Amino acid sequence: MASHRARITRKVRKSILVYCEGEHEEIFIKYLKQQYSSRISNYTLKVYNARGDANSVLDKVPRICSAYDLTLCIYDLDKPINQKKKKNVQSVCKNIHFIENMPCLEAFLLQILEDKDYSQYKSKTCKARFEKHYLSRARRMDVRNYESIFP
């Protein structure tokens, strides 16, 4: 008598690359990943940190974007970006989206928390306000600390 093995079919998960400027963006994205893990279970999400500015993101993302189904570039607009680099990234990385914070991530977070437009403020002002009123610089490095202000 021949044994029959049931075939296991596995759903291939889509891969998402999130490439961001620095550590604070990386930690916040990892917090979001934890919060929404049940909703993104059909995806694998990899977060990379360029350890620089927007142009660092644009320099580094073309090296690895082809390995992913979708690429998100997250960077601040507090310094000018090289539009030629951005166009090059768009030609190399086929399914790419740019998330641009004006002027910075902290302005975006403050806008959520305070329902106020911070896009015309200086980046330094937004960072100082966020760190004074919500999360100090040291506490920002722990994913768990975001839960109290972004439940």
Side-chain angles (χ1 to χ4, degrees), residues 53-113:
D53 61 8
N55 290 309
S56 300
V57 173
L58 297 174
D59 283 337
K60 295 176 181 179
V61 74
R63 299 177 196 160
I64 61 171
C65 66
S66 62
Y68 296 87
D69 296 310
L70 172 66
T71 301
L72 303 174
C73 285
I74 302 173
Y75 51 81
D76 298 343
L77 293 176
D78 54 348
K79 296 176 187 166
I81 63 165
N82 184 320
Q83 293 297 328
K84 188 175 179 179
K85 283 183 188 179
K86 186 176 175 182
K87 286 191 186 304
N88 178 56
V89 170
Q90 287 173 309
S91 68
V92 173
C93 305
K94 299 304 174 199
N95 198 5
I96 190 162
H97 298 276
F98 299 96
I99 300 171
E100 301 173 327
N101 295 309
M102 182 62 181
C104 58
L105 172 69
E106 292 77 8
F108 171 70
L109 299 177
L110 286 168
Q111 185 171 344
I112 292 168
L113 294 166

